[in-house]
Amino acid sequence: MATIDLIVLGILKKESLSAYDIQKLVEYRNISKWVKISTPSIYKKVIQLEEKGLIKSHIEKEGKMPEKAVYSLTDKGEIEFEKLMFEIASKSVNIYLDFNAVIVNLDSLSPANQKICLTEIEKNVKLLKSYQEENLLKKENIPDIPKTGKAVLQQQYILTQAIENWLESLKDYFDNKNI
């Protein structure tokens, strides 16, 4: 899975971290909201990347805390990072929305159930948009967050707004169709 490789290598390119710290950074940056990545996959990926020689670890102990492996990029990892950057940037763009499985099957439901499904999707889109607005406001004046990170947050918000507008027109279509 090249995307998770790129996320982990990119994080380690900036600083050496433990798998736990990588996972916390992924959570803090809400990366799992826009890239399919899970906490267990980070731990597994760190081990795989080390086995491939893309990252290396050393053991650190801080005070009374238990020892932990801290990972950093190797020269081979630097090369792989750049290769993945160009490889993924060159791929066609796909947007997967799980609710599209519902949309393509709406005609198989009664008008009342169509409306329920569309209302549920709309509710979840509004919830997502609210979360994104809150996240954008919270992070807009934090200087430690790179411009590129803020750009992804803005991108996701704009996509959510577009989905919200599209959903409104779809609801109108079904309302008019079922009159």
Side-chain angles (χ1 to χ4, degrees), residues 57-120:
S57 66
H58 68 275
I59 303 299
E60 283 187 6
K61 179 154 176 56
E62 293 178 19
K64 294 183 179 186
M65 299 296 291
E67 290 182 341
K68 64 181 178 181
V70 175
Y71 298 91
S72 58
L73 225 49
T74 62
D75 290 342
K76 187 177 174 184
E78 292 269 354
I79 293 166
E80 182 68 11
F81 169 78
E82 286 198 17
K83 179 183 151 249
L84 286 173
M85 287 289 287
F86 292 113
E87 183 181 300
I88 292 173
S90 299
K91 284 185 176 181
S92 64
V93 175
N94 296 304
I95 299 175
Y96 300 106
L97 302 169
D98 291 339
F99 66 76
N100 278 338
V102 173
I103 300 302
V104 299
N105 287 299
L106 279 174
D107 285 333
S108 299
L109 293 176
S110 68
N113 285 339
Q114 289 172 354
K115 191 173 195 123
I116 290 169
C117 286
L118 290 171
T119 300
E120 283 299 310

Side-chain angles (χ1 to χ4, degrees), residues 1-10 12 19 22 26 36-56 71 80 84:
M1 180 185 284
T3 306
I4 189 171
D5 291 11
L6 184 56
I7 294 292
V8 173
L9 292 173
L12 293 176
I22 294 168
V26 166
K36 287 200 180 225
I37 188 171
S38 67
T39 301
S41 65
I42 292 170
Y43 289 94
K44 188 175 167 184
K45 185 51 67 180
V46 166
I47 292 166
Q48 290 172 350
L49 292 172
E50 187 172 32
E51 288 171 354
K52 290 179 180 177
L54 302 176
I55 63 176
K56 62 183 175 191
Y71 298 91
E80 182 68 11
L84 286 173

Side-chain angles (χ1 to χ4, degrees), residues 18-32:
S18 69
Y20 174 79
D21 291 331
I22 294 168
Q23 178 258 320
K24 284 295 174 199
L25 196 55
V26 166
E27 282 178 17
Y28 173 72
R29 292 183 179 169
N30 296 305
I31 293 172
S32 62

Side-chain angles (χ1 to χ4, degrees), residues 23 89 133 154 169:
Q23 178 258 320
E133 287 170 339
Q154 291 164 342
S169 68

Side-chain angles (χ1 to χ4, degrees), residues 161-175:
Q161 285 178 310
I163 291 169
E164 190 175 49
N165 293 336
W166 164 82
L167 193 54
E168 197 57 44
S169 68
L170 187 65
K171 285 177 59 184
D172 288 345
Y173 165 77
F174 276 97
D175 286 345

